[in-house]
């Protein structure tokens, strides 16, 4: 029986998109600056096509310029770098996002490294990773940024809470650790070599799961009353054996939701938790980049 309250990321993200849209209206009305986001997609990966379409629609809904560059999967690294350089130089474009994965002939690190850090709305550039680590203003990766906003909205002051983050990737785990350190949490980062992961998780007031393993984190790994943020997105066979046999799938997180909800104080569902926050934070980053490019102080979207 569930006791946790459900953290409705979909509703929170919709509110955040509305706030970004209002700030964008003001930026256009007061300064004649329309934030512009360029999304570059190379090849036909179906999941990437859906993400890119969603990003484009949400960006336009927020009143921003939305350009999508669709390149064939035979694109060379030189051609892609040339496009990135032209977007870096375009004053109407404030955010550049190169959708991953890229085809094998392209060195993704070289392409991401070529993006102007001040237009790097994914926050993946080493300059932005460095700024986050030393506490300078920069652009923060969208998924951990969205997760931190949900936590602050739910818990208020996070000072002194013990946060355990399972996963140490550059795009989720590490920036999440930096954000929670900046909020004065005591932070533990766990990974595949950590010893006694269940005990580590049970010591967490805040548990962030960013592992990529379906329902790995069980209910008895969770401290009663803890706040659980499930970043995982894993496609598994349908729970209905007939549908599974037809190849139907469903999406689950890295946390066994029903078990965890019986113990936790609050938990994000999958889908409908962290996922929607990622696009909302992409728009927030694009707005912030547009303000800074013009020497303006952006509105804060903090809780
Ligand atoms: P990565 O594969 O880059 O990193 C996974 C991390 O989990 C690694 O640090 C790895 O440890 C750790 N790990 C793997 N297995 C175990 C284990 N058995 N025990 C403990 N730790 C383990 O994944 P990402 O960070 O990119 O993504 C994580 C999840 O979040 C995925 O499900 C992904 O789909 C989802 N995601 C969701 C987003 C959203 O919008 N909601 C956006 C981005 C990602 P080690 O370093 O030792 O290998």
């Amino acid at each position: 029986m569930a006791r946790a309250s459900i953290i409705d990321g979909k509703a929170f993200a919709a509110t955040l998109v509305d706030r970004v849209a209002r700030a964008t209206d003001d930026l256009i009305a007061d300064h004649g600056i329309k934030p512009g986001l360029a999304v570059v997609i190379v090849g036909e990966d179906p999941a990437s096509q859906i993400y890119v379409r969603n990003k484009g629609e949400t960006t336009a809904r927020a009143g921003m310029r939305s350009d999508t560059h669709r390149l064939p999967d035979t694109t060379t690294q030189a051609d892609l770098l040339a496009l990135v350089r032209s977007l870096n130089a375009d004053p109407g474009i404030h955010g550049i996002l190169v959708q991953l994965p890229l085809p094998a002939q392209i060195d993704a690190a070289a392409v991401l490294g070529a993006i102007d850090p001040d237009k790097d709305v994914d926050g993946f550039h080493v300059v932005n990773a460095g700024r986050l680590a030393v506490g300078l203003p920069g652009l923060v990766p969208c998924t951990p940024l969205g997760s931190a906003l949900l936590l602050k909205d739910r818990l208020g002051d996070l000072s002194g809470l013990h946060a355990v983050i399972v996963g140490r990737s550059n795009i989720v785990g590490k920036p999440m650790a930096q954000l929670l350190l900046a909020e004065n949490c005591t932070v533990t980062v766990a990974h595949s070599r950590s010893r006694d992961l269940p005990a580590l998780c049970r010591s967490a007031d805040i548990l962030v799961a960013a592992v990529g393993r379906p329902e790995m984190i069980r209910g008895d790994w969770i401290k009663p009353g803890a706040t659980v943020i499930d970043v995982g997105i894993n496609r598994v066979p349908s729970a209905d054996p007939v549908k599974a046999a037809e190849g139907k799938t469903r999406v689950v997180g890295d946390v066994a939701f029903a078990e965890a909800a019986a113990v936790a104080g609050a938990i994000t569902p999958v889908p409908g938790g962290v996922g929607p926050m990622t696009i909302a934070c992409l728009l927030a980053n694009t707005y912030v980049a547009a303000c800074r490019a013009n020497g303006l102080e952006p509105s804060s979207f903090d809780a």
Side-chain angles (χ1 to χ4, degrees):
M1 187 109 118
R3 75 181 277 274
S5 63
I6 306 301
I7 300 175
D8 185 347
K10 198 172 169 192
F12 191 88
T15 309
L16 179 56
V17 170
D18 284 347
R19 289 166 64 203
V20 174
R22 281 201 298 277
T24 296
D25 284 348
D26 290 347
L27 192 61
I28 296 168
D30 298 345
H31 302 281
I33 300 160
K34 183 168 181 146
L37 173 67
V39 176
V40 179
I41 178 166
V42 185
E44 301 293 330
D45 179 59
S48 296
Q49 296 282 346
I50 295 169
Y51 291 143
V52 166
R53 202 171 46 242
N54 286 345
K55 282 169 186 164
E57 285 169 7
T58 317
T59 310
R61 229 185 305 136
M64 298 183 181
R65 171 177 161 189
S66 163
D67 292 1
T68 303
H69 298 264
R70 292 176 194 281
L71 306 182
D73 60 11
T74 51
T75 301
T76 64
Q77 174 141 342
D79 286 344
L80 184 53
L81 286 173
L83 174 60
V84 167
R85 282 191 209 104
S86 77
L87 295 170
N88 283 344
D90 183 343
I93 291 297
H94 306 97
I96 303 169
L97 183 151
V98 177
Q99 183 68 43
L100 301 176
L102 290 167
Q105 74 276 15
I106 292 175
D107 175 355
V111 173
L112 297 182
I115 296 172
D116 178 346
D118 294 333
K119 297 190 178 189
D120 167 42
V121 282
D122 254 342
F124 294 166
H125 197 287
V126 288
V127 167
N128 282 316
R131 287 169 173 161
L132 180 61
V134 298
L136 287 173
L139 292 163
V140 177
C142 301
T143 301
L145 180 60
S147 301
L149 288 175
L150 290 177
L151 280 169
K152 284 194 276 180
D153 178 64
R154 178 59 49 146
L155 297 173
D157 184 6
L158 307 183
S159 289
L161 296 178
H162 183 207
V164 174
I165 299 158
V166 189
R168 57 173 164 180
S169 71
N170 290 334
I171 63 170
V172 188
K174 284 179 193 160
M176 189 77 227
Q178 297 292 0
L179 286 169
L180 293 179
L181 265 182
E183 294 297 329
N184 302 312
C185 290
T186 303
V187 177
T188 300
V189 182
H191 46 77
S192 68
R193 308 294 178 89
S194 296
R195 292 187 188 158
D196 201 353
L197 191 59
L200 280 176
C201 291
R202 271 192 294 273
S203 71
D205 304 306
I206 293 170
L207 180 62
V208 180
V211 191
R213 297 197 183 267
E215 301 178 325
M216 184 186 86
I217 292 175
R218 312 308 307 187
D220 63 0
W221 297 21
I222 290 165
K223 183 196 233 186
T227 303
V228 178
I229 301 288
D230 189 353
V231 178
I233 300 177
N234 308 290
R235 198 161 277 286
V236 298
S238 169
D240 176 337
V242 177
K243 288 186 179 161
E246 292 165 354
K248 296 267 191 321
T249 58
R250 69 197 161 106
V251 171
V252 298
D254 291 340
V255 178
F257 181 82
E259 289 175 19
V263 183
I267 185 167
T268 57
V270 178
V274 173
M277 291 300 290
T278 300
I279 291 186
C281 287
L282 176 69
L283 300 187
N285 276 353
T286 303
Y287 161 81
V288 166
C291 291
R292 291 195 186 135
N294 291 281
L296 300 167
E297 187 58 37
S299 305
S300 166
F301 300 114
D302 242 350

